[in-house]
Amino acid sequence: MAGSALGLPVAVPSTALFTDRYELTMLQAALRSGAAHRRSVFEVFTRRLPEGRRYGVVAGTGRVLDAIENFRFDDDVLSFLSRENVVDRDTLDWLAGYRFRGDVHGYPEGEVYFPGSPLLRVEGTFAEGVLLETVILSILNHDSAVAAAASRMAVAAGGRPLIEMGARRTHELGAVAAARAAYVGGFTTTSDLAAGFRYHIPTVGTSAHAFTLLHDTERDAFTAQVESLGPGTTLLVDTYDLTEAVRTAVEVAGPGLGAVRIDSGDLLLLAHRVRQQLDDLGATDTKIVVTSDLDEYAIASLAAAPVDAYGVGTSLVTGSGHPTCSMVYKLVARAADGTDGRPDAPLVPVAKKSLGAKASTGGRKWAARRLDADGVAEAEVVGTGPVPEELAGRQLLVPLIERGEVVAREPLDAARRRHIAARAGLPLSATQLSRGEPVIPTEFV
């Protein structure tokens, strides 16, 4: 399609070109050899969590389903591939009719994961599955990194609201995806209107320093804002003198002023001073919102401060130092020789062998989370054979696409609630911000 639901321009007319060239050259060679139609199983997993992280968060699943549905080679795309001599005519003819008709299973969005967790399993022909590698990894790596950072910040905030406000710190379309992932991870609102429009995330925002600087006096700026937005608005009080601004804000809006925002300085010290000043002025219900390059550690340091909400930008949309999850997409099983094209062909496990850290485990996998006697997770169990009876009811992969049809679309709030429940089911040490190993081990059986 030529643009998004918002009419925002994108660089290419469909998700089919959100891929690497070698996906198509592999397809061409496989079509020539006859192996392209061999039944195959691809899996997404990560060999390790980012350094110091105790758990990962699955995010972007809904966007993956949209991307697979929109993976179409229309005339403009095919003309580009032909003009650039990417693939030959026979491959172009095959691509013209491409539709993913296989099955996809995966961890539901919002679930937590660990090293080796088979987060997504794509089954179909080799040709169908190999083309989806890059777009799937692009979405899952980005969104899961943001959601993991958001989850840590939500833990640090201890139930206080979190505002996503990182749109100006990343690509304009990436900002929309980041706001979505942050909401899954625990943020409550976003400043990005595109994210609000597309994903129905609540939006917030009032004014910046420019609005105060525009007016002759701070009082004029506050008066204009209150007259326009009402006394329940949030006034930015650190443009000039903080103490004087808080006094003026209450004089203009009255004791029913909704909130004040502090965007600079020693936030711990200033929050205490402002709270005392607001209380002394009778504005006991006025909230304090803090912003200014926050991350999970800064939020945690404000746990004892009288702060009512946090606004986070740069650190959130960049994964708080870990902008990717290092997820990979690997062929783990394919049909045995002589069974090419049979959808029920028996599978042979395959895996890369490496002397370094890139070795993988072959075979079509299942995953389950084993709980202790108190119902707390104690291990991520991954296997390729029969599922042990005691784990049958704890399996993590669910159907997402069946025979090319999406079967698992859900409201974003469902993923958000799922994450809260999944995180609550982990050992308490999962919420520690100190560096450590994954909070539960992954056991391969």
Side-chain angles (χ1 to χ4, degrees), residues 71-331:
F71 207 89
R72 303 283 188 268
F73 292 85
D74 58 25
D75 290 343
D76 289 341
V77 172
L78 293 170
S79 295
F80 164 76
L81 296 176
S82 175
R83 186 171 63 252
E84 297 297 317
N85 295 314
V86 176
V87 290
D88 61 20
R89 173 51 54 186
D90 288 343
T91 305
L92 290 172
D93 290 342
W94 188 90
L95 290 173
Y98 177 84
R99 299 289 186 275
F100 179 77
R101 296 182 175 86
D103 299 331
V104 178
H105 290 72
Y107 281 39
E109 190 158 18
E111 183 59 84
V112 296
Y113 71 88
F114 300 92
S117 297
L119 305 180
L120 200 73
R121 186 175 69 223
V122 178
E123 301 183 60
T125 66
F126 176 82
E128 286 179 304
V130 73
L131 294 181
L132 300 176
E133 174 180 4
T134 301
V135 70
I136 286 175
L137 288 179
S138 174
I139 293 170
L140 292 182
N141 268 311
H142 172 269
D143 290 23
S144 296
V146 173
S151 180
R152 285 162 60 86
M153 293 174 190
V155 167
R160 296 170 180 174
L162 290 158
I163 307 163
E164 185 282 314
M165 43 197 309
R168 63 190 62 188
R169 298 292 187 256
T170 187
H171 185 280
E172 67 273 17
L173 297 182
V176 181
R180 182 187 183 280
Y183 190 70
V184 171
F187 274 59
T188 51
T189 54
T190 179
S191 66
D192 191 283
L193 288 176
F197 178 90
R198 193 173 306 181
Y199 298 118
H200 308 293
I201 302 169
T203 61
V204 295
T206 52
S207 68
H209 292 101
F211 185 77
T212 302
L213 296 170
L214 169 68
H215 292 80
D216 293 335
T217 68
E218 197 165 44
R219 180 178 294 273
D220 289 344
F222 289 172
T223 299
Q225 184 173 328
V226 170
E227 288 181 349
S228 174
L229 301 177
T233 190
T234 299
L235 295 176
L236 181 59
V237 291
D238 71 332
T239 305
Y240 303 120
D241 179 87
L242 182 65
T243 301
E244 183 61 30
V246 171
R247 181 182 301 110
T248 301
V250 176
E251 289 176 357
V252 170
L257 173 62
V260 295
R261 177 162 74 97
I262 308 170
D263 187 51
S264 59
D266 184 336
L267 298 179
L268 179 61
L269 174 64
L270 295 179
H272 280 285
R273 287 181 175 175
V274 168
R275 180 72 271 158
Q276 184 62 55
Q277 185 181 7
L278 287 170
D279 291 346
D280 291 343
L281 293 170
T284 55
D285 293 329
T286 299
K287 308 296 186 185
I288 297 176
V289 180
V290 296
T291 53
S292 184
D293 292 327
L294 298 177
D295 61 12
E296 60 265 49
Y297 301 102
I299 292 170
S301 73
L302 293 167
V307 172
D308 298 289
Y310 306 90
V312 190
T314 304
S315 183
L316 175 65
V317 298
T318 56
S320 195
H322 297 288
T324 181
C325 301
S326 299
M327 294 177 185
V328 294
Y329 183 97
K330 297 297 181 184
L331 181 69

